[in-house]
């Protein structure tokens, strides 16, 4: 007589292995591996997603621990209003739209990028260009989440002209707003996309290649630095490293 339990265990284990394999393949192959300039936001793409299983909990917005019992959503709206038509640094003069952030105010995971590119500047939403499509693929195909489940923002909220790097004074002016966003959302994990996000959050000069692959601490929140999606457009072979980082993030979340 066969041991039904043993057989069932084997089936489940092989199914699990298969699913993990499928997910790895999807990320390795499914994310567009086009070579490109990699500059922020070239060629706008829609980011609506179709298949993934929604994992957002649909409990009422979090108010516990928030000042005056306000929800995270309300607090983020207040912060956005406080920023206003910002002219605190020189990027205010050249931007089209300020790109505050998008997603679930109660997200367990926040992705922090560098700063808006052309598409983001035009749309007022982070990560909607080519790099954004790649980030969306990581979230949807890799993590099986929706963009709406997570929160996405940048270190600087206005586009640096010609997609140049944000300058120290610009980061300094904008950083308080990133700090407040993270204070309000209180995620379990932050994914720092690229050098500027990692440097700003972790106050380190170490390169992203040295920082990635392990968790760091930001005010008690776990931070996983990883390569920026724009870098992945230029160096698709680094996608496997990002996938390793993302798997560690998922293990932490679930
Ligand atoms: N790159 C970033 O760092 N942020 C965006 O929003 C888009 C591209």
């Amino acid at each position: 007589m066969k041991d039904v339990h043993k057989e069932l265990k084997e089936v489940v284990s092989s199914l699990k292995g298969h699913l993990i394999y499928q997910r790895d393949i999807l990320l390795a192959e499914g994310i567009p591996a086009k070579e490109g300039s990699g500059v922020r936001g070239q060629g706008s793409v829609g980011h609506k997603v179709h298949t993934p299983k929604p994992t957002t909990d649909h409990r009422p917005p979090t108010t516990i621990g928030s000042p005056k019992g306000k929800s995270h959503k309300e607090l983020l709206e207040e912060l956005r209003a406080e920023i206003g038509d910002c002219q605190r640094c020189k990027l205010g003069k050249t931007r089209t739209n300020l790109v505050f952030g998008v997603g679930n105010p109660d997200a367990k995971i926040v992705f922090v990028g560098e700063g808006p590119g052309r598409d983001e500047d035009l749309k007022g939403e982070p990560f909607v260009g080519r790099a954004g499509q790649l980030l969306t693929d990581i979230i949807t195909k890799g993590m099986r989440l929706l963009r709406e489940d997570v929160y996405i923002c940048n270190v600087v909220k206005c586009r640096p002209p010609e997609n140049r790097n944000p300058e120290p004074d610009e980061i300094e002016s904008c950083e308080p707003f990133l700090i407040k966003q993270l204070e309000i959302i209180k995620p379990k994990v932050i994914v720092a996309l690229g050098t500027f996000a990692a440097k700003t959050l972790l106050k380190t000069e170490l390169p992203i290649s040295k920082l990635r692959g392990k968790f760091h601490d930001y005010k008690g929140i776990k931070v996983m630095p990883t390569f920026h999606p724009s870098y992945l457009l230029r160096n698709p072979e680094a996608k496997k490293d990002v996938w390793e980082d993302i798997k560690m993030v998922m293990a932490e979340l679930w």
Side-chain angles (χ1 to χ4, degrees), residues 204-215:
T204 174
E205 289 304 315
L206 284 174
I208 193 79
S209 56
K210 288 269 180 302
L211 294 167
R212 63 152 293 274
K214 50 184 175 293
F215 284 109

Side-chain angles (χ1 to χ4, degrees), residues 40 113-117 120 126-127 154 228:
R40 289 196 302 265
E114 178 181 322
E120 291 76 19
F127 284 100
N154 283 303
H228 192 285

Side-chain angles (χ1 to χ4, degrees), residues 23-246:
R23 194 175 57 188
D24 284 9
I25 291 295
L26 266 174
L27 195 79
E29 296 178 358
I31 50 184
K34 291 175 212 135
E35 297 279 357
S37 70
V39 291
R40 289 196 302 265
Q42 279 195 347
S44 190
V45 286
H47 61 264
K48 265 271 161 250
V49 293
H50 358 276
T51 44
K53 115 184 130 59
T55 59
T56 317
D57 61 49
H58 295 284
R59 287 172 297 180
T62 312
T63 53
I64 301 157
S66 303
K68 299 182 208 128
K70 288 182 179 163
S71 68
H72 293 180
K73 182 170 182 282
E74 286 167 320
L75 291 169
L76 285 174
E77 281 165 5
E78 282 181 12
L79 177 62
R80 176 64 192 89
E82 185 190 327
I83 298 176
D85 179 21
C86 187
Q87 298 297 329
R88 292 169 181 82
C89 83
K90 54 190 177 300
L91 297 180
K93 297 212 168 25
T94 51
R95 67 150 191 262
T96 313
N97 286 299
L98 188 146
V99 181
F100 178 66
V102 72
N104 181 355
D106 297 314
K108 290 198 175 69
I109 176 165
V110 173
F111 290 86
V112 180
E114 178 181 322
R118 189 194 58 188
D119 296 304
E120 291 76 19
D121 175 64
L122 291 174
K123 197 164 176 205
E125 183 174 332
F127 284 100
V128 293
R130 281 188 68 215
Q133 179 60 67
L134 191 41
L135 177 62
T136 302
D137 283 346
I138 291 169
I139 294 166
T140 59
K141 295 178 182 173
M143 306 181 83
R144 315 303 281 174
L145 294 171
L146 298 170
R147 247 176 93 102
E148 294 83 344
D149 290 331
V150 306
Y151 194 84
I152 306 173
C153 60
N154 283 303
V155 171
V156 295
K157 312 295 188 216
C158 297
R159 181 194 185 197
E162 307 305 322
N163 294 340
R164 66 158 168 76
N165 290 334
E167 291 172 357
D169 60 311
E170 296 158 359
I171 294 177
E172 201 181 312
S173 309
C174 226
E175 192 183 351
F177 302 120
L178 173 63
I179 293 172
K180 280 207 181 150
Q181 281 174 309
L182 296 170
E183 246 171 49
I184 292 169
I185 298 168
K186 297 187 180 60
K188 208 168 164 202
V189 178
I190 298 167
V191 178
L193 299 166
T195 305
F196 281 90
K199 266 170 102 167
T200 305
L201 292 168
L202 302 174
K203 305 293 169 217
T204 174
E205 289 304 315
L206 284 174
I208 193 79
S209 56
K210 288 269 180 302
L211 294 167
R212 63 152 293 274
K214 50 184 175 293
F215 284 109
H216 300 254
D217 177 71
Y218 170 82
K219 301 184 179 184
I221 303 171
K222 292 201 163 164
V223 177
M224 176 59 77
T226 197
F227 294 121
H228 192 285
S230 295
Y231 177 83
L232 295 183
L233 291 173
R234 284 173 282 140
N235 302 278
E237 71 283 356
K239 284 179 189 172
K240 62 181 178 333
D241 294 328
V242 172
W243 183 225
E244 289 308 313
D245 300 342
I246 293 296

